[in-house]
Amino acid sequence: MMGREMLTQQRKAMILSALKRDGQVVAKDFATSLGLSEDTIRRDLREMAADRLLQRVHGGALPASPAVADLAVKAAQSPDAKRALGLAAARMIRPGQLIFVDGGTTCLAMVQALPRDLRAMVVTHSPVIAAALIDHPAVEVALIGGRLFKHSGVCVGAQVLDGIRRFQADLYVMGVTGVHAGVGLTTGDMEEADVKRAFANAAAETLVPVTFEKIGAASPHIIGPASLMQTLLVAGEVGEGGLAPFQTAGVSILRA
């Protein structure tokens, strides 16, 4: 039993190594390379997904996003990169625009970087984002209410979806936990995905600012295809090879 357990752990370590190296694991190919059955590898993938070590997809697995933690944990993740993203995103806001702003620590960094004299309207379902704009006298804030999803500090549900329908935005700044050219834009909660999709569909343009560890990663709930966003704003060490598939999909790439 001890030898079998050690073999299982060795396989799982190899799976994690392959994910880090290649960005994906194809169950059939991986099993063949080890001379094992595909069922064995699929069982390993199921167990590892249950432990949130990876995200299962059709035929194999992708790296799991580290950004599915709650707000307190996410606040400590990549703070310098988030500040850089916030500054870069804030520079894209133009006076007179109506902006949808998502919840999350990167979007919070953006609103904190907005000029104090900016004249605009911000529509958000995040009480944290709304509160951060209190000291911006020329920014009108519309807070869409609903059931507070405390994990992410945003409101979700039918009331939020109904509220979004009342607006048409120039720009939506979307927070995600994973961005993959094939799987698309993902997040960790089904109702959050519904809200993000509704915001994107009611905006002329969607901007997605992400730290490097979200590129190529995935979470359980799909917001939409990569083409749902017009612009991907990245920070950190992301190689051109990792961004090329998004450009092929017609997404503009900016670096913070």
Side-chain angles (χ1 to χ4, degrees):
M1 179 65 70
M2 182 62 73
R4 183 177 179 183
E5 179 62 26
M6 182 63 71
L7 182 58
T8 300
Q9 294 306 316
Q10 288 173 340
R11 289 198 309 269
K12 290 180 178 179
M14 294 175 70
I15 289 170
L16 290 176
S17 178
L19 283 173
K20 184 175 182 180
R21 181 186 67 244
D22 303 328
Q24 65 177 351
V25 164
V26 178
K28 183 178 181 179
D29 295 345
F30 195 78
T32 300
S33 71
L34 297 181
L36 298 170
S37 72
E38 189 174 343
D39 285 343
T40 296
I41 298 303
R42 289 188 182 278
R43 183 176 64 246
D44 289 342
L45 296 180
R46 284 195 298 270
E47 293 174 356
M48 296 173 74
D51 292 333
R52 297 185 178 181
L53 297 175
L54 52 78
Q55 177 62 48
R56 291 181 70 206
V57 295
H58 181 72
L62 295 173
S65 172
V68 294
D70 62 22
L71 279 175
V73 174
K74 285 190 286 189
Q77 295 175 340
S78 306
D80 293 339
K82 289 176 181 177
R83 278 193 291 271
L85 287 169
L87 284 168
R91 295 190 191 105
M92 298 177 68
I93 307 301
R94 299 289 177 260
Q97 287 186 322
L98 191 155
I99 313 296
F100 290 149
V101 179
D102 216 333
T105 50
T106 301
C107 287
L108 178 60
M110 184 200 74
V111 298
Q112 290 172 335
L114 291 174
R116 296 289 178 182
D117 60 350
L118 175 69
R119 291 188 175 275
M121 181 174 185
V122 169
V123 179
T124 184
H125 62 319
S126 166
V128 176
I129 295 296
L133 289 166
I134 289 175
D135 293 332
H136 287 70
V139 174
E140 185 178 353
V141 181
L143 177 59
I144 301 177
R147 180 180 67 84
L148 182 63
F149 180 44
K150 294 182 180 180
H151 178 276
S152 300
V154 296
C155 294
V156 295
Q159 288 175 281
V160 177
L161 297 177
D162 184 61
I164 292 170
R165 296 187 188 100
R166 301 169 186 270
F167 300 95
Q168 184 63 45
D170 298 291
L171 178 67
Y172 170 36
V173 185
M174 178 194 289
V176 300
T177 57
V179 179
H180 189 277
V183 175
L185 309 173
T186 57
T187 192
D189 179 78
M190 179 175 65
E191 287 189 295
E192 275 196 290
D194 291 341
V195 169
K196 293 173 189 292
R197 192 180 309 112
F199 271 131
N201 289 334
E205 180 182 355
T206 294
L207 166 70
V208 179
V210 293
T211 49
F212 75 95
E213 66 270 14
K214 295 181 181 180
I215 301 291
S219 293
H221 299 284
I222 297 174
I223 302 162
S227 58
L228 189 64
M229 61 179 166
Q230 282 69 48
T231 306
L232 179 64
L233 177 63
V234 299
E237 297 300 322
V238 184
E240 292 300 325
L243 298 174
F246 299 102
Q247 293 175 313
T248 301
V251 178
S252 297
I253 309 295
L254 297 178
R255 289 183 181 270

